[in-house]
Amino acid sequence: MLKNAQDDVGSGSGVTRLKLARGSFTSESPSRSLSTPSTSHSVGDSVGQLSVTPETPEKGNGMQVLSQLGIVELLEQDGRPTFILDLGQDAKYSPGHLQVLFMNAALQACPGLVGIITGTADRDSPGIAVPSTFHEFKTWVMSLTKDKQSTDVHHFQFIYGGMTWTRSTLRKRLRVLSGSFNAHSSSFRSNPSSPDLQNSKADRNGFLPEATIPEERAHVDYFGPGALSSDHAGVDVDKGKVMSITDSPDSKLFLPNEPITHSSLHGGSDFADSHPSPNSNASKALSSEGPLDLLSLGKFADVAYFDWTRLPISPAMPKHIQFAKSVDWASTELGLMESWSPTLRLMCNLIMASPHPAAMYWGNTNVAIYNESYIHIAGRKHPELMGQSYNKAWSEIWDEIKGVFEEAKTSGLSTMKADDCLMLNRNGFVEETYFSWSIIPIVGDSGEISGLYNPCFEHTKRKVAERRMLTLREIGERVATARDTKNFWKQVLKGLDYNPEDTPFVLLYSIATDDQGGGSETSSIQSSSLKATKQCLLEGSLGVPEGHDAAPLILDPNTDDSGWCSYFKASMKDGTHILLDVEKGTLAPSLLDGIEFRGFGERCRSVVISPVQPTTDDSVLGFLVMGINPRRPYDDEYDLFVQLLTRQLATAMASVVLFEEEIRRGERAAKLAAIDRMELHEQLAARTQEAVDSETKFTRMAEFAPVGMFIANSEGKLTFCNDTWYKITGHPRDGHHGLNWMDSVKDEDREIAEEMWNKLINKKEPANREFRFKVRWEARNGSAKGDTWVLASAYPEKAENGSLKSVFGSITNISQQKWAEDVQKQRTEEAVEMKRQQENFIDTTSHEMRNPLSAILQCADEISTTLSSLRSESNHNSGPSAELVDSSIDAAQTIALCAQHQKRIVDDVLTLSKLDGALLLVTPVDVKPVSVVQRALRMFEGELETHDIEVNFTIHKSYTDLNIDWVRMDPSRLMQVLINLITNAIKFTQGEPTRKITMLIGAGLDAPLDKDKPCVTYFPTRTKTKDLTKDPEWGEGEQVYLHFGVTDTGRGLDEQEKKVLFHRFAQSSPRTHVQYGGSGLGLFISRQLVELQAGEIGVSSESGIGSTFAFYIKVRRSNPPDGAADYLPSEHPRKTSIPKRPLARAGASGSSAKEETSPRPDSIPFKAAEPIKDLSNLKILIVEDNLVNQRVLQKQLKNLGCAVAVANHGGEALAYLQTTRFWKGKSQSEGVELSIVLMDLEMPVMDGLTCARKIRNLEAAGEVVGHVPIIAVTANARSGQIETALKAGMDDVVSKPFRIPELIPKIQDAMAEHGQSNPIETIEAPKEGKTAGAGP
């Protein structure tokens, strides 16, 4: 039985692990922000209120970059204690403590200061008290408000809690208060180990009577000029509360021992006159002569501070705290205590405040810090353990624990082990111990793992005691089967054999008479007579080899004192067990030589000898010689185990002796009445065996069955129910007669129960039903409650004549399953609803951002076109007017670029939502990869020209060697990645002295191995995705890996910046966003898209030199589609549109070849004008509810010569359609000509989808003759929304924002597809600058 218990313990690992979320900092989810218990808003709410994100920009683009920084992010980086109040809540003005909305990390690290600020400190607690000036501090904090909205006309300062507090107000509601330590509080920042500090006497608030003025100045307040250093502040002495800001350079820093005068407080009268304080009477009091002392104003008398890492050593401190502060931390990785980070200080205070044993290991060397409760775990390793490296202090277990530490630091993986067996050398010997411990990563200020938190609880005594109790139980069960003394000794050995750890070796000796000479019959020795000692016979041994000198078969204590004889006599004399120890000299070491020690295989240091004496007699029947566990001390628990073992053997031996005597007595009695007893026994057994067996079996089954069991008679009345039935139904035990048990069934389900019972009783058929009882069900741990559901199953027992004899049935409690089904259903519904709300939010955001962008782009195009025409027609190409025109063209071009950048951000958000919902698809088509790359570069020609960036396009030799031409891939997904990488390259290169970008394309038959990519570090795929190229739509062509690289001469990245690449909303550093902008989504989306195409992406970069971003994807070879031109870009270079730094293309050899260039104009060049379409024959109806977009689009189309009509919604569009030639009955002369309809989707009265459906229905009904071309012009750009528009009857969809050159081909295709004559004719292109409606 003990062995089974041990196996059960060993089979379970007892390890629980919890993965930490890994993320990156954003303004919407700060890495460090904590809310106080008194606030009613979460930190996430605070962030949402205080920060402006790219998704919710303020009006205007001038402050766009700055607006993306959240106040919470700013305050978390502030080293001053800072908190925020919401002045808009009525509860803030009621008496009582302050309700804080937000506290930064610096304030959280000072728990005593938090209680003083909020007024929640316990007045009865020693060392902590709310200052008497708290109500004045609160009045100052909440003052200067009108209608609960802060006006914040003037900035003030207030001395409270040993600190100078400044305040600022945001949006007339949120009040931000920051504190700076006064000169008197320098003890918080001074070195506690310095001799001067240790020799000085601190007051009861932890401040030195004479503090030196720190050289460094106080931090400047982020929210206004209110936070000045102490040498530039004056004090209004209305009880020493308010400090007015002065500009006097002669103001002094006031020390506690210096008098304060009126002139020194104000530093002049200008400020007092222009900024009267609310306590003007108190200010007038300063005019009286006589100095004032700050300490007399009550600023420091009531301060309590609990951060022991900042307090100087004092006798009042706990001894362990004094010891911890006395450690030479400067010699460790942690450095001086003054330089410790807030997170380290916070964890140190948490460790020391814990009543349970806890330790922390900080830094790369795992420097140990532990509390006082941990000392008994450290043993003799204390005090050297404090400040020592873990792998050095606990070297005996480091190899076993090392992996847990590494996983915690590298992966953020927490580990918990229950009852873990550790062999510690903490008391001078290797000790068997059991601990329940955890290793929890501590996230530092930088977001990385800075240390490990280690709570631990020692369960050694419990685990060892359990093992010993199981041993005693095992011995008891075995000796209970013994029927004689010989078998008794064998069973004792078998019982002890299951615990080799606590019995490294065992010898059992029995007492025999002289003339028996080793016979099986044993006798006893009277403990009172040593001279009557008889021979001792060896009954068995464990761990002692046969024939060993320490285990002779016969011992004679009367004639021999060698070996164990003398010890036997000593134990018999004392009447109890004795302990022999080698180190104390009470045991000869030679007796232990050659013994094969069990358990840990180590040599025993101690042996215990115990006499076996039955409880019914004073005689000794044997001796137990047992080795002591070398890895456990012989303490009181071990001694108790030996006592219990001896007592159990004595009790069991007494039972065996009595049993033997009873056997002999019974044998004599049996001889006299054997026949009578046998007959009686047989008769009784024959009569009762059947009934007893049947009753016993059924009773035991019903008692232990986990289901409710019942029996009913032929009338349907219950005659038996087990305990489980009553427990499940909640029916009273005295009320089961008849059918009233149905009263306990829930009213809604009673009909089901009655129908089942009727089927059993009347139809005599088996039945199974599910129904509920009125009693409420509750889970064992109380985590769930609900209805009590049961599955009732019953079977009718019939008599020989077919009548009902009885009914046997059972009920099974299925409440847990029913509850789980309800919870699963609810969670599914919540998930679906959450997904729907997320999509609605993204759709709304996209729609509202795209709508104005369309107008911005088109207006910028019109400005550029008009000014370019003006410049071309003007005879003056120089002078102020020409410079003004060029400047305006540059501004219009900048507007267009900004709008396109904003469009890319919106597209990134939509792509990200598709990735999160696994809705992004890869659609393969036949394409030339080189053409895709060239098309991507062509999109940036204007931007490259503007920033004077040289571009080289290189085709690697591997590409031509494999003869790559047409492949099957998704060019749109490749284009997304290329656009993101080229955009970043331009962004980081444009401000450098050398501006050059190189685009590389290569190929291979296999994915690159690590040895093949020494320059670029590829990021491994995070999740395994399906190989899409194996789908039928990819064809049967050869699998090929295409390699792409974008190299720039930008500022480059260091190792720390490269670690955060390719993460959601992450950029290389905070200054990246400030200097270059961006959402931090581009590289994350690029990585997702590359991994979706069975590839990987990586980077190679060096700070100050440049970066190379490379990736590869998996494609298949294919054949050219029908009608495709056999065009190889590498053989036919084209003329670039970038005049000065043209797009260069390299051949297979890798050498760059410069292409032809056009001369660069004096001002910022524009692309050569393409042929203009003659649109004078087009009659277009614009259906748009946004008047700005309506007016801009109408003007652009009119500039191209189109005839344009407008409608504000679908209803007006249908009314206009009735006046056109499309309407039935309208002749050519009566009806208005209409070429195409440009229709928005989101409109009042009637939306675009409804209008399109009505038009198509009218066409089907014959009311509309022919097909009316309709193009949806909408800001709804999701694929599902586009598909919905096409199903509603739209011929095509143009997503906002768009430009006129993008719209015209759509109009032409839509009209040509339905057989209408093409009114668009190509005419000769005008000179540069004459383009109509086309942007740069």
Side-chain angles (χ1 to χ4, degrees), residues 291-308:
L292 292 176
D293 192 346
L294 283 179
L295 290 177
S296 66
L297 301 178
K299 296 302 171 295
F300 309 98
D302 297 327
V303 175
Y305 197 79
F306 297 94
D307 186 353
W308 66 270

mmCIF file of all heavy atoms in Angstrom, residues 291-308:
data_model
loop_
_atom_site.group_PDB
_atom_site.id
_atom_site.type_symbol
_atom_site.label_atom_id
_atom_site.label_comp_id
_atom_site.label_asym_id
_atom_site.label_seq_id
_atom_site.Cartn_x
_atom_site.Cartn_y
_atom_site.Cartn_z
ATOM 1 N N PRO A 291 10.798 86.052 12.849
ATOM 2 C CA PRO A 291 10.979 84.952 11.888
ATOM 3 C C PRO A 291 9.976 83.849 12.098
ATOM 4 O O PRO A 291 9.392 83.712 13.168
ATOM 5 C CB PRO A 291 12.405 84.463 12.185
ATOM 6 C CG PRO A 291 12.589 84.761 13.660
ATOM 7 C CD PRO A 291 11.816 86.002 13.925
ATOM 8 N N LEU A 292 9.795 83.063 11.044
ATOM 9 C CA LEU A 292 8.920 81.888 11.089
ATOM 10 C C LEU A 292 9.749 80.659 10.761
ATOM 11 O O LEU A 292 10.601 80.705 9.892
ATOM 12 C CB LEU A 292 7.777 82.008 10.073
ATOM 13 C CG LEU A 292 6.731 83.094 10.368
ATOM 14 C CD1 LEU A 292 5.725 83.143 9.229
ATOM 15 C CD2 LEU A 292 6.026 82.827 11.676
ATOM 16 N N ASP A 293 9.444 79.579 11.424
ATOM 17 C CA ASP A 293 10.138 78.309 11.181
ATOM 18 C C ASP A 293 9.189 77.371 10.448
ATOM 19 O O ASP A 293 8.036 77.219 10.850
ATOM 20 C CB ASP A 293 10.572 77.686 12.504
ATOM 21 C CG ASP A 293 11.545 76.546 12.277
ATOM 22 O OD1 ASP A 293 11.650 76.108 11.113
ATOM 23 O OD2 ASP A 293 12.180 76.105 13.255
ATOM 24 N N LEU A 294 9.689 76.741 9.364
ATOM 25 C CA LEU A 294 8.836 75.816 8.607
ATOM 26 C C LEU A 294 8.365 74.677 9.472
ATOM 27 O O LEU A 294 7.265 74.175 9.297
ATOM 28 C CB LEU A 294 9.596 75.293 7.385
ATOM 29 C CG LEU A 294 9.696 76.254 6.207
ATOM 30 C CD1 LEU A 294 10.486 75.593 5.089
ATOM 31 C CD2 LEU A 294 8.327 76.666 5.717
ATOM 32 N N LEU A 295 9.192 74.223 10.394
ATOM 33 C CA LEU A 295 8.766 73.097 11.235
ATOM 34 C C LEU A 295 7.612 73.493 12.134
ATOM 35 O O LEU A 295 6.780 72.649 12.492
ATOM 36 C CB LEU A 295 9.944 72.587 12.082
ATOM 37 C CG LEU A 295 11.050 71.874 11.315
ATOM 38 C CD1 LEU A 295 12.169 71.489 12.259
ATOM 39 C CD2 LEU A 295 10.500 70.653 10.621
ATOM 40 N N SER A 296 7.563 74.798 12.490
ATOM 41 C CA SER A 296 6.446 75.241 13.326
ATOM 42 C C SER A 296 5.154 75.271 12.554
ATOM 43 O O SER A 296 4.088 75.363 13.121
ATOM 44 C CB SER A 296 6.757 76.639 13.884
ATOM 45 O OG SER A 296 6.799 77.580 12.818
ATOM 46 N N LEU A 297 5.223 75.213 11.218
ATOM 47 C CA LEU A 297 4.013 75.215 10.397
ATOM 48 C C LEU A 297 3.415 73.835 10.262
ATOM 49 O O LEU A 297 2.428 73.655 9.587
ATOM 50 C CB LEU A 297 4.333 75.777 9.010
ATOM 51 C CG LEU A 297 4.887 77.216 8.996
ATOM 52 C CD1 LEU A 297 5.199 77.631 7.577
ATOM 53 C CD2 LEU A 297 3.925 78.179 9.650
ATOM 54 N N GLY A 298 4.039 72.805 10.826
ATOM 55 C CA GLY A 298 3.459 71.455 10.812
ATOM 56 C C GLY A 298 3.613 70.745 9.510
ATOM 57 O O GLY A 298 2.738 70.018 9.097
ATOM 58 N N LYS A 299 4.739 70.967 8.822
ATOM 59 C CA LYS A 299 4.876 70.347 7.505
ATOM 60 C C LYS A 299 5.509 68.967 7.567
ATOM 61 O O LYS A 299 5.424 68.189 6.669
ATOM 62 C CB LYS A 299 5.724 71.231 6.579
ATOM 63 C CG LYS A 299 5.074 72.552 6.299
ATOM 64 C CD LYS A 299 3.717 72.366 5.679
ATOM 65 C CE LYS A 299 2.958 73.662 5.577
ATOM 66 N NZ LYS A 299 2.646 74.228 6.846
ATOM 67 N N PHE A 300 6.247 68.705 8.650
ATOM 68 C CA PHE A 300 6.982 67.458 8.668
ATOM 69 C C PHE A 300 6.673 66.622 9.914
ATOM 70 O O PHE A 300 7.164 65.501 10.031
ATOM 71 C CB PHE A 300 8.491 67.732 8.616
ATOM 72 C CG PHE A 300 8.878 68.653 7.523
ATOM 73 C CD1 PHE A 300 9.089 70.001 7.765
ATOM 74 C CD2 PHE A 300 9.011 68.183 6.229
ATOM 75 C CE1 PHE A 300 9.442 70.845 6.743
ATOM 76 C CE2 PHE A 300 9.374 69.035 5.212
ATOM 77 C CZ PHE A 300 9.575 70.376 5.474
ATOM 78 N N ALA A 301 5.915 67.168 10.832
ATOM 79 C CA ALA A 301 5.757 66.475 12.116
ATOM 80 C C ALA A 301 4.970 65.186 11.989
ATOM 81 O O ALA A 301 5.156 64.258 12.759
ATOM 82 C CB ALA A 301 5.086 67.396 13.120
ATOM 83 N N ASP A 302 4.043 65.091 11.040
ATOM 84 C CA ASP A 302 3.151 63.939 10.978
ATOM 85 C C ASP A 302 3.479 63.001 9.833
ATOM 86 O O ASP A 302 2.657 62.179 9.462
ATOM 87 C CB ASP A 302 1.699 64.424 10.812
ATOM 88 C CG ASP A 302 1.272 65.241 12.013
ATOM 89 O OD1 ASP A 302 1.751 64.931 13.103
ATOM 90 O OD2 ASP A 302 0.477 66.172 11.826
ATOM 91 N N VAL A 303 4.658 63.098 9.244
ATOM 92 C CA VAL A 303 4.973 62.296 8.060
ATOM 93 C C VAL A 303 5.408 60.892 8.474
ATOM 94 O O VAL A 303 6.206 60.729 9.385
ATOM 95 C CB VAL A 303 6.082 62.954 7.226
ATOM 96 C CG1 VAL A 303 6.480 62.056 6.075
ATOM 97 C CG2 VAL A 303 5.586 64.293 6.715
ATOM 98 N N ALA A 304 4.871 59.890 7.849
ATOM 99 C CA ALA A 304 5.312 58.498 8.040
ATOM 100 C C ALA A 304 5.774 57.948 6.695
ATOM 101 O O ALA A 304 5.136 58.167 5.674
ATOM 102 C CB ALA A 304 4.169 57.652 8.588
ATOM 103 N N TYR A 305 6.883 57.229 6.703
ATOM 104 C CA TYR A 305 7.487 56.744 5.456
ATOM 105 C C TYR A 305 7.946 55.322 5.660
ATOM 106 O O TYR A 305 8.584 55.009 6.675
ATOM 107 C CB TYR A 305 8.673 57.645 5.099
ATOM 108 C CG TYR A 305 9.115 57.518 3.677
ATOM 109 C CD1 TYR A 305 8.410 58.159 2.660
ATOM 110 C CD2 TYR A 305 10.218 56.755 3.321
ATOM 111 C CE1 TYR A 305 8.807 58.057 1.344
ATOM 112 C CE2 TYR A 305 10.616 56.638 2.012
ATOM 113 C CZ TYR A 305 9.912 57.304 1.022
ATOM 114 O OH TYR A 305 10.312 57.205 -0.272
ATOM 115 N N PHE A 306 7.625 54.436 4.745
ATOM 116 C CA PHE A 306 7.833 53.011 4.980
ATOM 117 C C PHE A 306 8.789 52.367 4.000
ATOM 118 O O PHE A 306 8.988 51.158 4.058
ATOM 119 C CB PHE A 306 6.487 52.273 4.929
ATOM 120 C CG PHE A 306 5.542 52.699 6.001
ATOM 121 C CD1 PHE A 306 4.610 53.688 5.743
ATOM 122 C CD2 PHE A 306 5.596 52.138 7.262
ATOM 123 C CE1 PHE A 306 3.729 54.092 6.724
ATOM 124 C CE2 PHE A 306 4.721 52.544 8.240
ATOM 125 C CZ PHE A 306 3.778 53.527 7.978
ATOM 126 N N ASP A 307 9.357 53.107 3.090
ATOM 127 C CA ASP A 307 10.282 52.510 2.123
ATOM 128 C C ASP A 307 11.635 52.344 2.802
ATOM 129 O O ASP A 307 12.421 53.269 2.919
ATOM 130 C CB ASP A 307 10.402 53.413 0.896
ATOM 131 C CG ASP A 307 11.237 52.759 -0.192
ATOM 132 O OD1 ASP A 307 11.829 51.684 0.034
ATOM 133 O OD2 ASP A 307 11.287 53.328 -1.288
ATOM 134 N N TRP A 308 11.928 51.123 3.267
ATOM 135 C CA TRP A 308 13.161 50.902 4.034
ATOM 136 C C TRP A 308 14.403 51.094 3.182
ATOM 137 O O TRP A 308 15.482 51.339 3.718
ATOM 138 C CB TRP A 308 13.159 49.519 4.651
ATOM 139 C CG TRP A 308 13.205 48.379 3.677
ATOM 140 C CD1 TRP A 308 12.165 47.741 3.114
ATOM 141 C CD2 TRP A 308 14.391 47.745 3.158
ATOM 142 N NE1 TRP A 308 12.599 46.752 2.276
ATOM 143 C CE2 TRP A 308 13.965 46.728 2.280
ATOM 144 C CE3 TRP A 308 15.755 47.930 3.347
ATOM 145 C CZ2 TRP A 308 14.859 45.912 1.594
ATOM 146 C CZ3 TRP A 308 16.648 47.125 2.661
ATOM 147 C CH2 TRP A 308 16.203 46.122 1.802
#
